Amino acid sequence: MHLLNLGILAHVDAGKTSLTERLLHSAGVIDEIGSVDAGSTATDTLALERRRGITIKSAVVSFPLDGVTVNLIDTPGHPDFIAEVERVLGVLDGAVLVVSAVEGVQAQTRVLMRTLRRLRIPTLIFVNKIDRRGADGTAVLEQMARRLSVPLVPMGEPAAPGTPAARFVPGLAPTAPDVLADHDDDLLAAYLDGSLADARVHTALAAQSRRALVHPVYFGSAITGAGVPELITGIEHLLPTADGDPAGPLSATVFKVERGPAGEKVAYARIFSGALRVRDRVPFGSGGAEDARADDGVRNAGGLDGPPYRPGGGRAVGRAVRRRAEGRVTGLSVFEAGTDVRRDQAGAGRIVKVWGLDGIRIGDALGRPGTAYRHHFAPPTLETVVVPGPGTGRRSLHLALTQLAEQDPLIGVRHDEQRGETSVSLYGEVQKEVVQATLAEEYGLDVTFRETTTLCIERPAGTGHAVEFNKKDGNPFLATVGLRVEPAPPGAGVEFRLEVELGSMPYAFFKAVEDTVRETLGQGLHGWRIPDCTVTMTHSGYSPRQSHAHQGFDKSMSSTGYDFRGLTPLVLTEALRRAGTLVHEPMHRFRLEAPVDTLGALLPVLARLGAVPETTDALGATGVLRGTVPAARVHELEQRLPGLTRGEGALETAFDHYAPVTRGTVPRRPRTDHNPLNRKEYLLNVSRRVGD
């Protein structure tokens, strides 16, 4: 039987989980449709999800169709949990994007559709809630055409929308040949000469839908079931099934990690080729999520990708870490008929749960390394310090947060040894509340949070060079290191180059310098991460291995990796100081609708918040402003908008880019390292040879 790994995506409250319940019920997997409000849905299994009525973690459930077994992945709709959606995208064969017929296209809808289009994931659109008061399917279709800017093919139209009797009337829209002809010259010719047959149109529709060239649109209601049978038919006939060679080498990707009742790690993986068996010894790692976490978050996110050192070459670009490990599979399950079932093996196309791989992380490849894990959405732009409550130890808190970060790599945990503080990076206040509740319920830890702050980055303002020579000018390390720092385009990542001969000193010393460069760039002159720059090693030198007669290796006279790891932060920081750095803050692109007569009061407020309106349009009595606003001021804008627009204003925002801080005091971030900005303090903390 064919397999289809299908994602259900939507903006919050579009009815995505309710649609999942309806699909499972229609397929005969569940006898009764669960309720989000009652906390009885099949995919919202966490107590916190049931209590809050929102999806927090992605969940997999399977159901059969006539010729296809569908592994359906329900994903969160709230933007605070976009990381859960991100990890699912790489394992999908197709998707259903749910849009509310009442709320219409939301900011999250546009973010999701842009990403689905960029990744060329075949996608059907289901306009839900046509039975709700205020539903207007025709208006939503026009809105999607205008604001999503994608080729749409309506598969019918809603009848009696906005009433409990609303239903879906199937029938290919008359505009379908026009849309399909844009990608099919033969169809266009037949259309123009009047010989186009309906069968030819349906064949082209299926072919183009599977290639993500067009997007069929269905209307219906997950609550009443209207339009769902037609959607199921579309899922079966218009989306591609999983491919992959079951006899080929094993290649799978981990997209979710959770912990079982005994604290053991359980990995969810999509098998792209080969087969996985219980008792197999499986290599994993390399290209994991930690390698890509330093992405800038620009729209075409880059990472620390590149080839490793090439022996004998004069230039090297590589990851800071290429982690490979091996483990034995102790348990395996696949998804069938609404549950997961233990199996001894699983082949290409399957989504599996795997036990026994203790060091596994999200984004890891099982078997043959595949495409490196990349970020498709913006990184978190907020940070908060987690404050332990009475009876909560800092060590226990740090361990618990580290385990949460295993399940969500975009929760960046940052520990400050000097202040005894741990901070986490987040997407929003709802996510912070979920972290707090999770720590209380799963770990028994009582915590509060300090005020949320914005995460900035730094970029080199120019080029800077510094060098320290072995045994000269107060250098206590037996090493020579020279580094030049240059700016790089946003999203380029960190590139490490050599202008010295690779054979001029042991490879381990070059590797120590590169790894330390990447680590040191986590905190620039103002304490913020530097995600994009080129660092070139211009000078190198070391003290060869020395030994006294009959006494063996003498560390006091011979260079070690410690010397290069200790000296590199001083040299790199001095090069950055000479180059200068600029702090950049996250900027959101906004779309604001408000009555035209309120714009006069609204524009000065936008200016005071640092927002820059770029375009202004009028839609009758409504004005539409588009522009950018600092992420740090979005919350204040949301709070002030109702009072400025008589409650009629509507604001959409989404991360767009980083821009230099030009207003007020340049923000600084407390350092968590040994502070190479202060040479004396640094050497006291680090150097074992001070005073030699």
Side-chain angles (χ1 to χ4, degrees):
M1 179 174 281
H2 295 296
L3 294 167
L4 168 61
N5 296 300
L6 177 72
I8 304 290
L9 293 79
H11 63 82
V12 68
D13 292 332
K16 170 182 48 57
T17 300
S18 297
L19 178 59
T20 299
E21 290 290 307
R22 175 61 67 174
L23 291 171
L24 296 177
H25 182 266
S26 298
V29 170
I30 57 176
D31 296 327
E32 294 184 5
I33 296 176
S35 166
V36 174
D37 294 335
S40 56
T41 59
T43 53
D44 286 344
T45 57
L46 298 178
L48 188 57
E49 291 178 315
R50 296 180 182 275
R51 190 166 63 250
R52 295 186 66 102
I54 60 173
T55 301
I56 297 170
K57 297 290 185 182
S58 59
V60 184
V61 64
S62 180
F63 64 89
L65 298 179
D66 287 342
V68 181
T69 293
V70 178
N71 287 325
L72 189 150
I73 308 177
D74 185 20
T75 62
H78 198 287
D80 280 13
F81 307 106
I82 194 69
E84 283 290 320
V85 181
E86 175 176 84
R87 293 190 287 275
V88 166
L89 292 175
V91 305
L92 297 181
D93 301 305
V96 174
L97 180 64
V98 185
V99 180
S100 169
V102 179
E103 290 87 6
V105 175
Q106 303 291 295
Q108 184 82 339
T109 316
R110 299 169 70 193
V111 170
L112 292 170
M113 179 51 86
R114 281 200 303 268
T115 307
L116 290 165
R117 291 283 291 178
R118 188 169 71 244
L119 299 178
R120 302 191 67 80
I121 296 175
T123 302
L124 310 181
I125 298 175
F126 185 72
V127 180
N128 192 25
K129 301 185 179 181
I130 63 170
D131 58 321
R132 296 287 183 89
R133 179 179 298 178
D136 190 336
T138 302
V140 170
L141 184 62
E142 293 174 352
Q143 188 185 51
M144 288 193 298
R146 185 176 70 253
R147 297 180 61 186
L148 298 182
S149 300
V150 297
L152 305 174
V153 179
M155 302 299 290
E157 59 184 9
T163 71
R167 66 188 190 280
F168 178 60
V169 180
L172 202 58
T175 57
D178 289 330
V179 177
L180 297 170
D182 287 341
H183 308 285
D184 189 329
D185 290 341
D186 291 338
L187 188 147
L188 176 61
Y191 180 49
L192 292 176
D193 66 22
S195 63
L196 184 60
D198 289 345
R200 177 71 177 84
V201 174
H202 285 279
T203 300
L205 173 65
Q208 294 188 27
S209 298
R210 292 184 186 122
R211 294 167 57 199
L213 297 176
V214 300
H215 303 285
V217 181
Y218 297 84
F219 299 85
S221 167
I223 299 299
T224 68
V228 174
E230 290 80 7
L231 175 64
I232 291 175
T233 300
I235 290 171
E236 185 172 2
H237 296 289
L238 299 179
L239 294 178
T241 53
D243 56 11
D245 181 6
L250 174 65
S251 179
T253 298
V254 175
F255 65 93
K256 177 179 177 178
V257 173
E258 63 184 18
R259 289 191 177 265
E264 75 279 15
K265 280 189 176 181
V266 183
Y268 289 66
R270 158 75 186 268
I271 303 176
F272 289 98
S273 73
L276 193 61
R277 301 172 182 85
V278 175
R279 293 183 294 278
D280 277 355
R281 289 199 66 83
V282 178
F284 62 87
S286 184
E290 81 284 358
D291 294 314
R293 189 184 303 170
D295 288 348
D296 187 355
V298 295
R299 281 152 291 189
N300 295 315
L304 304 184
D305 288 314
Y309 277 105
R310 293 168 296 180
R315 179 177 180 270
V317 184
R319 294 180 186 273
V321 178
R322 285 185 177 270
R323 181 179 53 83
R324 292 294 283 175
E326 190 173 83
R328 186 181 298 277
V329 176
T330 60
L332 197 65
S333 68
V334 300
F335 294 89
E336 293 180 359
T339 187
D340 58 296
V341 181
R342 289 288 184 139
R343 289 284 184 268
D344 290 331
Q345 69 174 41
R350 285 283 191 181
I351 288 179
V352 295
K353 292 173 68 173
V354 187
W355 284 261
L357 307 180
D358 291 339
I360 200 74
R361 302 183 190 178
I362 289 171
D364 278 355
L366 305 182
R368 185 180 61 187
T371 304
Y373 176 76
R374 293 291 190 90
H375 289 326
H376 306 300
F377 301 112
T381 57
L382 302 174
E383 184 177 55
T384 184
V385 173
V386 186
V387 181
T392 297
R394 295 185 183 275
R395 185 179 297 275
S396 299
L397 175 60
H398 183 67
L399 176 61
L401 288 171
T402 301
Q403 290 188 0
L404 287 183
E406 289 176 352
Q407 301 173 38
D408 186 349
L410 292 183
I411 296 180
V413 178
R414 186 173 185 263
H415 188 62
D416 187 336
E417 292 282 356
Q418 294 180 334
R419 297 171 181 79
E421 296 177 349
T422 300
S423 57
V424 294
S425 54
L426 302 166
Y427 278 98
E429 296 299 314
V430 173
Q431 189 182 13
K432 184 164 70 174
E433 295 170 12
V434 168
V435 170
Q436 184 179 37
T438 302
L439 290 172
E441 295 176 9
E442 296 186 14
Y443 297 91
L445 301 178
D446 176 28
V447 302
T448 57
F449 298 93
R450 291 191 191 157
E451 183 180 358
T452 302
T453 57
T454 303
L455 275 172
C456 299
I457 63 170
E458 290 184 53
R459 297 193 188 282
T463 299
H465 178 256
V467 60
E468 295 216 17
F469 294 96
N470 189 358
K471 302 177 182 178
K472 291 185 179 180
D473 301 323
N475 175 10
F477 301 101
L478 294 179
T480 294
V481 174
L483 297 172
R484 183 174 66 248
V485 178
E486 301 169 274
V494 175
E495 185 176 17
F496 184 77
R497 299 177 176 177
L498 296 181
E499 280 187 359
V500 296
E501 289 297 325
L502 189 59
S504 62
M505 65 179 187
Y507 161 83
F509 295 162
F510 285 112
K511 193 69 171 69
V513 172
E514 183 192 358
D515 289 352
T516 307
V517 162
R518 295 184 185 279
E519 181 181 353
T520 303
L521 290 173
Q523 301 182 74
L525 302 182
H526 300 273
W528 305 105
R529 180 174 59 89
I530 301 177
D532 305 299
C533 67
T534 300
V535 179
T536 304
M537 190 169 185
T538 59
H539 296 75
S540 65
Y542 73 108
S543 294
R545 186 181 181 92
Q546 302 288 330
S547 61
H548 298 291
H550 311 298
Q551 294 183 5
F553 176 46
D554 186 350
K555 289 185 178 180
S556 68
M557 301 173 62
S558 311
S559 297
T560 66
Y562 162 83
D563 292 289
F564 289 90
R565 289 191 296 271
L567 180 59
T568 297
L570 287 175
V571 177
L572 181 59
T573 301
E574 182 58 31
L576 285 170
R577 203 193 310 261
R578 294 176 182 179
T581 63
L582 294 175
V583 175
H584 287 59
E585 63 181 334
M587 300 293 291
H588 280 216
R589 184 156 295 281
F590 72 84
R591 183 182 188 278
L592 195 158
E593 290 188 4
V596 171
D597 62 349
T598 66
L599 297 184
L602 191 57
L603 289 171
V605 173
L606 290 173
R608 285 195 293 273
L609 294 177
V612 180
E614 296 172 355
T615 63
T616 305
D617 299 311
L619 300 175
T622 301
V624 180
L625 300 177
R626 296 180 179 84
T628 58
V629 59
R633 312 308 291 272
V634 169
H635 183 60
E636 184 178 350
L637 177 57
E638 290 172 338
Q639 289 182 316
R640 299 195 62 179
L641 187 62
L644 294 167
T645 62
R646 301 190 298 273
E648 298 178 43
L651 177 68
E652 294 180 11
T653 68
F655 173 85
D656 191 69
H657 66 284
Y658 287 93
V661 175
T662 57
R663 306 159 63 93
T665 305
V666 175
R668 303 186 71 90
R669 192 187 198 193
R671 303 191 72 88
T672 59
D673 57 11
H674 293 300
N675 192 17
L677 290 170
N678 185 322
R679 185 182 181 90
K680 182 177 180 181
E681 176 186 334
Y682 177 83
L683 292 177
L684 286 173
N685 287 325
V686 174
S687 177
R688 297 178 299 191
R689 295 192 174 102
V690 173
D692 286 0

